[in-house]
Amino acid sequence: MAEEKEIILTKIGMCALKQGLEYLKTTKRSEITEKIKVARGFGDLSENAEYDEAKNEQAEVENKINQLMNILKYARAISDDEIDDGIVCIGNTVEIIEVGEDEVEKYTFVSADEIEMYAILHADMNELLSVNSPVGKALLGHKAGDTVSVTTPVCTIDFNIKSIYKYE
């Protein structure tokens, strides 16, 4: 049997995983149970759209719970000692600016597994960047003050790294 890989999450990611899983297992399950109970009261289940919808939602939530429990089984929160605040790595927030532009962009570097976990939870990922993304791969290991070229399928973009600090 293949050995599962360790899943590295930020401390905030680990907290979000546990809270999201708890919400789905308690609150969301209870809500769906109530929807099913109400829908059963409408009569014939063979032509009951509300019942079918609630059962589909139940299956979707159970699938999410199973996915998140599998992530949690192999997850480990990255420790502060493992985060080098002088370079771009998982657990650091990086402020970058595209060469020739004025707007500073801020991203927190996380593992691809953490991105997947947030997607399952339908959580906001606006300021998260996977180390496996094209921009993430290009910036990984660089320091503040570096200029990095990122090749995308469409073009090449140069970024200046303004600052790097631990994700809080």
Side-chain angles (χ1 to χ4, degrees):
M1 185 169 162
E3 191 173 312
E4 290 289 331
K5 67 177 179 117
E6 181 178 56
I7 296 173
I8 305 296
L9 302 176
T10 62
K11 287 180 184 178
I12 292 172
M14 181 66 86
C15 185
L17 171 60
K18 289 177 180 178
Q19 287 177 346
L21 187 54
E22 184 64 21
Y23 168 77
L24 291 173
K25 289 169 81 174
T26 57
T27 305
K28 197 64 178 170
R29 271 183 175 161
S30 294
E31 289 173 1
I32 294 169
T33 300
E34 186 60 30
K35 284 182 184 180
I36 291 170
K37 183 178 168 184
V38 168
R40 282 180 189 229
F42 295 146
D44 184 8
L45 298 181
S46 65
E47 295 183 17
N48 188 329
E50 289 85 359
Y51 178 78
D52 290 342
E53 185 178 318
K55 291 300 281 184
N56 287 338
E57 185 178 1
Q58 181 182 45
E60 186 179 308
V61 166
E62 292 304 320
N63 183 45
K64 286 180 180 184
I65 289 170
N66 288 333
Q67 288 177 300
L68 294 173
M69 287 180 66
N70 191 53
I71 290 172
L72 184 60
K73 182 178 179 179
Y74 298 102
R76 174 178 73 80
I78 192 166
S79 71
D80 287 342
D81 294 344
E82 296 175 277
I83 302 169
D84 183 344
D85 59 2
I87 64 167
V88 177
C89 64
I90 291 176
N92 277 340
T93 297
V94 180
E95 292 182 348
I96 59 175
I97 188 166
E98 186 178 338
V99 173
E101 298 293 327
D102 296 326
E103 186 178 337
V104 174
E105 299 174 48
K106 180 172 82 170
Y107 297 103
T108 298
F109 275 70
V110 298
S111 66
D113 294 312
E114 188 159 336
I115 293 288
E116 178 184 341
M117 181 266 306
Y118 279 111
I120 292 167
L121 292 171
H122 297 291
D124 179 19
M125 297 184 287
N126 284 338
E127 292 188 355
L128 300 179
L129 188 63
S130 168
V131 294
N132 293 349
S133 69
V135 174
K137 285 180 181 178
L139 293 174
L140 203 58
H142 285 275
K143 299 176 181 177
D146 288 354
T147 298
V148 180
S149 291
V150 178
T151 302
T152 70
V154 178
C155 63
T156 299
I157 305 168
D158 292 327
F159 291 102
N160 288 325
I161 301 174
K162 293 295 186 192
S163 64
I164 301 170
Y165 50 92
K166 288 185 182 176
Y167 182 39
E168 300 287 327

